[in-house]
Amino acid sequence: MAAAKKAVLGPLVGAVDQGTSSTRFLVFNSKTAELLSHHQVEIKQEFPREGWVEQDPKEILHSVYECIEKTCEKLGQLNIDISNIKAIGVSNQRETTVVWDKLTGEPLYNAVAAPVSPGPSDPVAVVPSGSSVPAAGAASVWLDLRTQSTVESLSKRIPGNNNFVKSKTGLPLSTYFSAVKLRWLLDNVRKVQKAVEEDRALFGTVDSWLIWSLTGGASGGVHCTDVTNASRTMLFNIHSLEWDKELCEFFEIPMKILPNVRSSSEIYGLMKISHSLKAGALEGVPISGCLGDQSAALVGQMCFQDGQAKNTYGTGCFLLCNTGRKCVFSEHGLLTTVAYKLGRDKPVYYALEGSVAIAGAVIRWLRDNLGIIKTSEEIEKLAKEVGTSYGCYFVPAFSGLYAPYWEPSARGIICGLTQFTNKCHIAFAALEAVCFQTREILDAMNRDCGIPLSHLQVDGGMTNNKILMQLQADILYIPVVKPSMPETTALGAAMAAGAAEGVGVWSLEPEDLSAVTMERFEPQINAEDSFPLQVIIKY
């Protein structure tokens, strides 16, 4: 039986999925998109001071090697030949900033991340002086106390207003993006300053650090990034697709430490053995795909057409809408970003991105703060018992309202309560709240793009809740489409790697992308009966 399975396998592609809390390596069949095996390792976050979040770059790298080696062992146990792995893609947490010594391969400081795990005393998103739009683009974007003074100082130097940065990058001046973190490191860490002075320093987001290390590190590693990760640094001109000299001068960043910017799908280099970690199962395999995590999910969801959108339901929600080859600037609080560029000679595609601060987090709040459920899965059972919120509305603005309102002083409210209201109605209202927030982001996208979405593609842990998915379809009044294969982020990185010139084992043609089946939730209400969206805000 094992031999028969082995015989029908097509070429395989691996994907590193490096996130804020864990690292995973997954291997897919390039002909069917079937996930064959994977391994996951949790990684630590360090909090040296309030509002500071750091990670150990060496721990991140070691976790990648461990996941690759363990996954290869598991494939061997399944009688799958690892020599059939033809390429590796990388998907990564965006914006997190690493600076290291190119001669020794040693990090010069911890990776500086954005605070995304709020405690009860954490402040809300920063709105820098002169900025019309606060930071966005994370499930929950919290004030980075370390770099706030840097932003305040920089904002005073902007010629005119915040459009100087936004017009070039699509991003507001914020503590969230890499340039401000890098500026802080250059101002405050002597080891970084000295390495720059001696021409030993290299900068990169997590993808750059991993690709450089995996392709040889100090012994000839490739220092590069892709356009999607570069577009989150606040140093990259999303029109010219190059590092912007004026932005680098504004942030006083030496351009010599920046990685080369490549497409999201091309061979960057070959995997090398790590003698210190005794890891080399995939030596010689090309690393040929690289995408920031949300762009990877967009590709994994096969949102290749202008107007297609995906929403990832996690602690918060990430919504990306493909705007095609045109760079659309939002008038409704969304970010403009690079979606992907799948080949050196392929065109760049752009996206609008919006974030919902509280999605899955509201379920945890009901569990941990109110105690009305014991597990997150119970929320669906409670909501199913009543099938309605019975006029109860829940605004989970625990840290303010994000797009399109951008009201950091707003706070949560549960309203419309009567003596009849019970925990089941509150549970249902919590699910509605997630859907209402998504509706508001998509309405903003529709206004910015001028093309109403025909359907919404979804992924993330909360999509297992069928009541939530049906509610979302009803509230949007468009179909909600969920892939049968939930690992869309890793799949997107694998697709980019397998499709690269010189690899060519994964076709991105529409007729070849039908291997992943979809579950579809159709609206079950009439348009005239659609939900009173604004009622939750008016309260």
Side-chain angles (χ1 to χ4, degrees):
M1 186 173 183
K5 182 177 181 180
K6 187 174 180 180
V8 298
L9 287 179
L12 310 182
V13 180
V16 174
D17 183 4
Q18 205 300 301
T20 54
S21 59
S22 71
T23 298
R24 301 186 302 159
F25 185 69
L26 306 90
V27 174
F28 298 90
N29 184 332
S30 66
K31 299 305 179 186
T32 65
E34 176 190 3
L35 175 60
L36 300 176
S37 187
H38 76 283
H39 189 76
Q40 179 170 339
V41 172
E42 291 188 1
I43 56 175
K44 298 174 184 175
Q45 287 185 322
E46 300 177 21
F47 306 93
R49 297 187 192 177
E50 182 184 3
W52 293 31
V53 182
E54 299 177 0
Q55 293 179 302
D56 181 352
K58 294 185 75 172
E59 181 189 3
I60 291 173
L61 177 61
H62 292 177
S63 71
V64 170
Y65 275 117
E66 180 180 350
C67 287
I68 291 174
E69 298 299 309
K70 294 291 185 182
T71 301
C72 289
E73 289 177 14
K74 292 177 181 179
L75 289 171
Q77 293 166 6
L78 295 170
N79 292 320
I80 296 174
D81 187 353
I82 63 170
S83 68
N84 211 21
I85 297 176
K86 303 302 182 184
I88 295 171
V90 175
S91 168
N92 58 284
Q93 52 172 308
R94 305 174 297 175
E95 295 95 14
T96 296
T97 299
V98 188
V99 181
W100 65 95
D101 189 318
K102 67 182 179 183
L103 301 182
T104 66
E106 292 293 311
L108 296 168
Y109 191 79
N110 276 342
V112 179
V116 294
S117 300
S121 62
D122 284 338
V124 298
V126 60
V127 187
S129 174
S131 174
S132 59
V133 181
S140 302
V141 183
W142 311 97
L143 176 61
D144 187 339
L145 297 180
R146 177 204 329 252
T147 55
Q148 173 60 4
S149 60
T150 303
V151 164
E152 290 173 351
S153 174
L154 288 167
S155 65
K156 295 174 183 177
R157 294 169 42 202
I158 292 181
N161 54 45
N162 191 43
N163 284 333
F164 168 71
V165 173
K166 187 178 178 183
S167 63
K168 290 173 176 283
T169 67
L171 309 173
L173 180 61
S174 160
T175 64
Y176 188 69
F177 303 105
S178 307
V180 176
K181 297 177 174 63
L182 179 55
R183 183 66 259 157
W184 183 90
L185 289 168
L186 290 167
D187 287 340
N188 294 277
V189 180
R190 180 55 191 153
K191 286 176 67 176
V192 173
Q193 297 166 353
K194 194 169 187 293
V196 170
E197 292 166 3
E198 297 175 359
D199 197 24
R200 291 183 288 110
L202 295 179
F203 153 79
T205 43
V206 170
D207 58 301
S208 297
W209 162 244
L210 292 179
I211 292 173
W212 184 84
S213 300
L214 295 173
T215 57
S219 301
V222 179
H223 187 215
C224 69
T225 187
D226 90 301
V227 289
T228 69
N229 282 294
S231 74
R232 310 295 292 191
T233 62
M234 225 159 42
L235 298 170
F236 185 69
N237 189 311
I238 60 175
H239 309 287
S240 66
L241 302 183
E242 297 175 339
W243 298 119
D244 190 282
K245 185 178 179 181
E246 288 185 349
L247 286 170
C248 290
E249 289 175 351
F250 172 70
F251 288 103
E252 297 180 320
I253 303 296
M255 296 184 75
K256 64 183 180 181
I257 71 174
L258 303 179
N260 292 320
V261 181
R262 312 275 283 271
S263 76
S264 308
S265 178
E266 62 178 273
I267 296 176
Y268 312 114
L270 306 181
M271 284 283 293
K272 297 292 193 295
I273 293 175
S274 171
H275 294 287
S276 62
L277 298 176
K278 298 179 180 179
L282 298 183
E283 182 190 13
V285 175
I287 299 175
S288 53
C290 181
L291 291 154
D293 51 10
Q294 298 308 316
S295 288
L298 194 74
V299 171
Q301 285 274 26
M302 294 170 278
C303 293
F304 295 131
Q305 302 300 316
D306 189 344
Q308 285 186 308
K310 71 89 192 172
N311 191 23
T312 299
Y313 295 77
T315 301
C317 288
F318 281 106
L319 298 94
L320 265 72
C321 179
N322 188 332
T323 62
R325 301 184 192 183
K326 60 182 181 292
C327 198
V328 176
F329 282 88
S330 175
E331 299 296 329
H332 303 92
L334 307 178
L335 300 184
T336 303
T337 194
V338 174
Y340 53 80
K341 186 178 187 294
L342 296 174
R344 282 185 200 173
D345 301 323
K346 300 291 185 180
V348 64
Y349 282 75
Y350 296 95
L352 281 173
E353 178 174 334
S355 62
V356 169
I358 304 295
V362 74
I363 311 303
R364 287 205 303 271
W365 184 81
L366 292 177
R367 182 193 67 193
D368 299 339
N369 293 47
L370 294 192
I372 68 173
I373 54 174
K374 292 182 179 179
T375 66
S376 297
E377 291 71 26
E378 287 180 33
I379 193 80
E380 185 173 10
K381 181 180 177 182
L382 286 182
K384 189 175 182 180
E385 285 184 24
V386 289
T388 176
S389 62
Y390 200 73
C392 173
Y393 288 96
F394 193 162
V395 185
F398 298 153
S399 58
L401 288 168
Y402 284 25
Y405 297 99
W406 299 120
E407 184 49 70
S409 63
R411 287 296 175 264
I413 188 171
I414 301 175
C415 58
L417 302 177
T418 70
Q419 285 184 312
F420 180 71
T421 306
N422 60 36
K423 64 180 181 180
C424 297
H425 299 114
I426 293 174
F428 196 94
L431 296 182
E432 281 187 332
V434 175
C435 299
F436 280 133
Q437 292 179 98
T438 298
R439 163 73 183 270
E440 291 175 313
I441 297 292
L442 289 186
D443 282 350
M445 286 183 171
N446 287 339
R447 290 193 293 271
D448 284 327
C449 295
I451 306 172
L453 296 176
S454 60
H455 65 277
L456 177 66
Q457 293 170 230
V458 299
D459 56 69
M462 291 188 78
T463 61
N464 292 324
N465 188 319
K466 292 184 180 297
I467 288 182
L468 176 69
M469 293 295 94
Q470 186 57 57
L471 267 174
Q472 190 68 86
D474 291 342
I475 288 173
L476 297 179
Y477 198 63
I478 58 174
V480 167
V481 182
K482 174 191 171 185
S484 58
M485 211 292 294
E487 304 293 350
T488 55
T489 301
L491 178 62
M495 290 167 63
E501 184 179 354
V503 179
V505 299
W506 206 308
S507 172
L508 299 182
E509 295 301 320
E511 60 270 17
D512 298 323
L513 295 174
S514 57
V516 177
T517 59
M518 301 287 183
E519 184 176 4
R520 192 176 177 95
F521 296 85
E522 298 285 349
Q524 294 182 351
I525 63 172
N526 297 321
E528 57 269 20
D529 297 328
S530 59
F531 288 75
L533 178 63
Q534 295 299 324
V535 72
I536 63 168
I537 300 303
K538 289 179 180 178
Y539 276 103

